Amino acid sequence: EDQVTQSPEALRLQEGESSSLNCSYTVSGLRGLFWYRQDPGKGPEFLFTLYSAGEEKEKERLKATLTKKESFLHITAPKPEDSATYLCAPTGGGNKLTFGTGTQLKVEL
Amino acid sequence: DAGITQSPRHKVTETGTPVTLRCHQTENHRYMYWYRQDPGHGLRLIHYSYGVKDTDKGEVSDGYSVSRSKTEDFLLTLESATSSQTSVYFCAVPEVSGRAVETQYFGPGTRLLVL
């Protein structure tokens, strides 16, 4: 059975304080891993797709990396508007995405 | 927003009553998905459709049925709502990339409270 664990569950940062979120997974035959951002009361918003170990993607203050067992979402010099819940979802292909429970990030001034 | 709308956006109902949620898309996606999201659980797939009148079960399909009579609409029905079905329901469609692995884009969600 595919499993995903995200850590920490919650993270509070000061503005400008860089950190990383972790997504550990056990998925047979990983074909890709997706990162989403979710704001309260809204649907998940797609951020990145990573297809193979060693791959990196960047968008503004966010950088996602992938190894064979985990993925990291690095947040550099975060701002309050980066506050959200971040979800990861690895897939072994087809329609099956296995979602983690997310990391709730709060960035304070 | 991937051209997805969900209705209603909020609903309060009583145990034992039938409830139908609607997902409407405007981009002619063949695949459509229904998920539920609950605290302590990741998004979990309820049912999905791969074409008009073609549907299949997901991870948590018990107590739910779906129908797809036209490409743009995917309906999720709770035949007799229970308190355990209180949740936030999301519809999703896949990106169209031509790749073997495609992400999914989500609608705004429907908050359902079963009393």
Side-chain angles (χ1 to χ4, degrees):
Chain A
E1 181 180 332
D2 297 342
Q3 293 188 339
V4 183
T5 302
Q6 291 190 245
S7 61
E9 291 186 9
L11 180 62
R12 180 172 287 183
L13 299 174
Q14 295 296 310
E15 185 176 14
E17 180 186 1
S18 301
S19 188
S20 297
L21 313 183
N22 177 263
C23 171
S24 297
Y25 61 87
T26 306
V27 172
S28 300
L30 183 79
R31 302 290 299 278
L33 185 143
F34 308 112
W35 280 98
Y36 291 85
R37 168 193 172 123
Q38 187 173 23
D39 293 299
K42 296 191 176 182
E45 175 188 345
F46 170 70
L47 292 174
F48 303 111
T49 305
L50 301 167
Y51 291 102
S52 58
E55 188 174 2
E56 299 183 351
K57 293 276 181 72
E58 285 190 66
K59 180 180 179 180
E60 296 181 356
R61 296 175 292 283
L62 301 177
K63 183 169 82 171
T65 62
L66 181 65
T67 72
K68 289 186 177 180
K69 294 184 177 180
E70 55 192 354
S71 179
F72 292 93
L73 186 64
H74 307 278
I75 303 176
T76 302
K79 298 181 178 182
E81 53 262 42
D82 295 321
S83 298
T85 296
Y86 291 87
L87 307 172
C88 72
T91 179
N95 304 299
K96 182 171 171 53
L97 273 60
T98 303
F99 281 86
T101 53
T103 292
Q104 187 173 3
L105 175 65
K106 173 77 171 175
V107 182
E108 299 174 331
L109 291 170
Chain B
D1 64 356
I4 302 173
T5 57
Q6 293 186 232
S7 58
R9 294 294 313 281
H10 302 270
K11 186 167 182 69
V12 180
T13 191
E14 294 187 350
T15 298
T17 61
V19 177
T20 296
L21 309 182
R22 178 181 183 237
C23 177
H24 179 79
Q25 55 117 343
T26 59
E27 298 181 356
N28 205 35
H29 291 283
R30 179 183 167 201
Y31 279 81
M32 297 181 75
Y33 309 89
W34 276 110
Y35 288 86
R36 61 178 289 173
Q37 187 175 40
D38 305 288
H41 294 274
L43 284 150
R44 293 179 291 175
L45 183 65
I46 306 171
H47 280 279
Y48 68 96
S49 170
Y50 48 96
V52 172
K53 298 186 179 178
D54 292 323
T55 65
D56 205 349
K57 296 179 180 180
E59 177 187 358
V60 289
S61 59
D62 288 348
Y64 302 94
S65 63
V66 289
S67 65
R68 191 158 177 213
S69 59
K70 47 186 178 178
T71 299
E72 57 265 36
D73 288 326
F74 191 29
L75 304 181
L76 177 70
T77 297
L78 291 64
E79 301 289 349
S80 178
T82 68
S83 58
S84 65
Q85 293 175 312
T86 291
S87 187
V88 183
Y89 292 86
F90 290 100
C91 177
V93 296
E95 69 172 330
V96 180
S97 66
R99 300 189 71 141
V101 175
E102 296 176 328
T103 191
Q104 294 173 14
Y105 294 102
F106 288 82
T110 294
R111 291 185 172 274
L112 177 66
L113 174 61
V114 183
L115 299 174

